[in-house]
Amino acid sequence: MTALDELVDTLLWEGHQLYPYTPSATKNLTPTPFGIVYPPAYAAGDPHRFARCKLQAVVTGTRDVRATVHCLVGGEARQLEVAGGGAPVVTAFTFGGVAGEVEVGVEDFGALARVTVEVRNRTPLAQGAERWEALEASLLSTLLVVRCAAPGRFFSPVAPPGEAAAAVMTCAHVNTHPVLATPEDDAILGAAIFLPDHPELAPESHGSLFDGTEIEEALLLHVLALSDAERAELETADPAVRAMVARAAAATPTDIMALHGRVTVRDPAPAPAAPPAEREVRGEEQVTVGAATFRRGARVVLRPGPGRAATDHLLQGRTATIERIYIDYDDGVHLCVTVDDDPGQELMRDIGRYLYFKPDEVEAT
C-alpha cells in the first residue's frame, strides 16, 4: 500500500464512528461524517447540503488522467476508477442502494489543461425524508483522487506558481478541497477536510480512530477506559469498529508514550543574502516638511508632544535613527525610528519594530 493509499484509507473512515463508538450512542445514531453527497431531493434548498462534489485541477505535460472515487455506503468502502483525456465522459454506478454518476473531462489550453471530475448522486428519495433516510441513500466520506500519466504534473490548487496562478484561480470546487498528494505532483487528492499540499500521516500513528481528526493519544486512552458494558456492546458493532478497538486495546505503554508528541530540533538553514541592489526598502528616501528635510539614516532628537503616551515621554531628548519614512493616504508623514542608545536597537531594526513619530516631534541633530 502506497503512502497515498494509506492516507486515503485513513480519511475515508474519519467520522465514521465517534467515541464511545457504541451503536446506541446518540451521536452515532445519525452520524455526521465528512464529505456527504446527498440525494438531490434532500440537498435541494439547503446551501449546506450537496448532491455532488466537483474538483478542478491544472495539469501540464499530459492530457491522460484517471480519477478514482472513494466513499462509504452502508458502512462499506466503495471505489470506482474512471479514465479521461478529452471531452467529458459520464460513467454511471450503483453502490448498494445508491445510484450516481462520475463525469471526467480535460480541457486543453495549450501548455496547460484543466481537469474536471464531478460526482453526482442520482438516488431518488421522497420529499420530506428524515436525515437518517437520506444518509442511507448518500455517499459518505467522498474522496476524489486524480492521477496523471508521466511526464505530467499538477499545479498546486493551494499555492500555484506564477505560470499557472491565473489558470488555477479559474478552477471551481464544490464539496471538496483539493491538494497535491504525491512528491512527484502527479496526483491530486480531493479531500473532505482542509489539508496542506503533500499531507502525511504521522509515523507514530497506528491506524485511524475514526473520531473526526481528534487527538490520537487522548482517544487511545479513552478506548482503553471503556466500561465492560460498552465493550460488550461493541461486540455487535461493525467489523471496522471492532478491529479499531482491538488495535487500540493492544497498544503498549511505549506506543502510548510515542503519541505524546515529537520535537525535531535543527539549525535553521541560512537565508541567502540578496544583493544590495535587489533588497526592497519600503517607504520614502527623504521628505521635506516645512523647512525641515528628513532622510532615511539621519539622526534626530526625540521631542514627544503632549498627546503622546506616558512611556513615550521617557524618550524625551534621546537620539534616534530614522529607519523608514512613510506617507499615509492623508499625506501625513510618519518617521519610523530606533533609539541609538537602546541595547536592542539592532534587533528592533532586524525585525522591523520601529517607534513612530511625526516631524514636529523630532528635531534634526
Side-chain angles (χ1 to χ4, degrees):
M1 182 180 288
T2 68
L4 178 54
D5 292 333
E6 291 180 351
L7 177 64
V8 168
D9 186 68
T10 296
L11 294 173
L12 186 65
W13 294 98
E14 277 297 309
H16 170 60
Q17 291 282 297
L18 307 178
Y19 179 83
Y21 306 111
T22 52
S24 63
T26 301
K27 56 186 176 182
N28 286 323
L29 294 177
T30 55
T32 306
F34 300 113
I36 305 175
V37 181
Y38 289 106
Y42 189 77
D46 190 324
H48 305 293
R49 301 172 187 163
F50 300 91
R52 63 177 180 140
C53 65
K54 175 184 176 182
L55 176 155
Q56 290 188 314
V58 175
V59 68
T60 185
T62 186
R63 303 298 180 263
D64 183 9
V65 301
R66 67 186 191 278
T68 306
V69 180
H70 300 263
C71 63
L72 297 179
V73 175
E76 296 183 8
R78 305 293 185 111
Q79 71 177 61
L80 174 68
E81 184 172 307
V82 180
V89 176
V90 178
T91 303
F93 65 85
T94 300
F95 293 150
V98 180
E101 61 188 24
V102 183
E103 180 176 321
V104 179
V106 180
E107 302 169 86
D108 200 317
F109 294 101
L112 304 176
R114 183 171 62 194
V115 180
T116 300
V117 180
E118 184 168 342
V119 179
R120 295 182 283 264
N121 191 333
R122 296 302 192 195
T123 310
L125 187 70
Q127 293 290 340
E130 297 291 337
R131 185 171 183 274
W132 66 268
E133 296 175 293
L135 288 175
E136 289 184 348
S138 299
L139 307 175
L140 310 180
S141 293
T142 309
L143 303 170
L144 304 177
V145 177
V146 187
R147 294 177 172 86
C148 64
R153 67 181 181 91
F154 289 103
F155 290 100
S156 169
V158 179
E163 61 185 301
V168 170
M169 291 300 290
T170 65
C171 292
H173 315 297
V174 178
N175 199 19
T176 193
H177 309 287
V179 294
L180 292 173
T182 57
E184 299 78 18
D185 295 343
D186 61 353
I188 289 282
L189 168 64
I193 59 176
F194 289 104
L195 295 172
D197 279 333
H198 309 114
E200 296 178 284
L201 296 176
E204 295 86 357
S205 176
H206 290 276
S208 175
L209 288 167
F210 305 166
D211 214 280
T213 70
E214 288 289 344
I215 301 169
E216 188 166 337
E217 179 190 14
L219 284 172
L220 185 59
L221 293 173
H222 288 167
V223 171
L224 296 176
L226 289 171
S227 68
D228 291 340
E230 288 169 328
R231 290 178 182 275
E233 186 179 350
L234 285 171
E235 292 300 319
T236 62
D238 67 53
V241 172
R242 292 203 306 270
M244 179 274 294
V245 172
R247 186 180 65 246
T252 66
T254 301
D255 293 333
I256 298 173
M257 287 302 298
L259 294 172
H260 190 62
R262 167 168 33 100
V263 176
T264 302
V265 179
R266 64 171 65 92
D267 292 330
E278 297 181 11
R279 292 175 185 161
E280 178 186 11
V281 179
R282 299 180 179 179
E284 309 299 321
E285 178 68 33
Q286 68 176 43
V287 65
T288 299
V289 180
T293 297
F294 300 96
R295 294 180 177 82
R296 190 188 307 138
R299 284 182 167 77
V300 292
V301 177
L302 303 178
R303 303 295 184 192
R308 303 286 298 205
T311 53
D312 292 335
H313 290 279
L314 297 176
L315 302 175
Q316 184 69 244
R318 304 274 288 274
T319 301
T321 299
I322 300 176
E323 306 289 350
R324 298 285 188 274
I325 301 173
Y326 293 135
I327 300 177
D328 63 27
Y329 289 111
D330 297 322
D331 294 326
V333 176
H334 304 271
L335 305 178
C336 311
V337 306
T338 56
V339 179
D340 289 343
D341 59 355
D342 183 349
Q345 183 183 36
E346 289 298 328
L347 176 61
M348 297 298 103
R349 181 178 290 141
D350 288 344
I351 64 177
R353 293 292 300 272
Y354 306 125
L355 302 174
Y356 289 75
F357 288 82
K358 294 183 178 180
D360 61 357
E361 296 178 316
V362 302
E363 62 183 42
T365 58

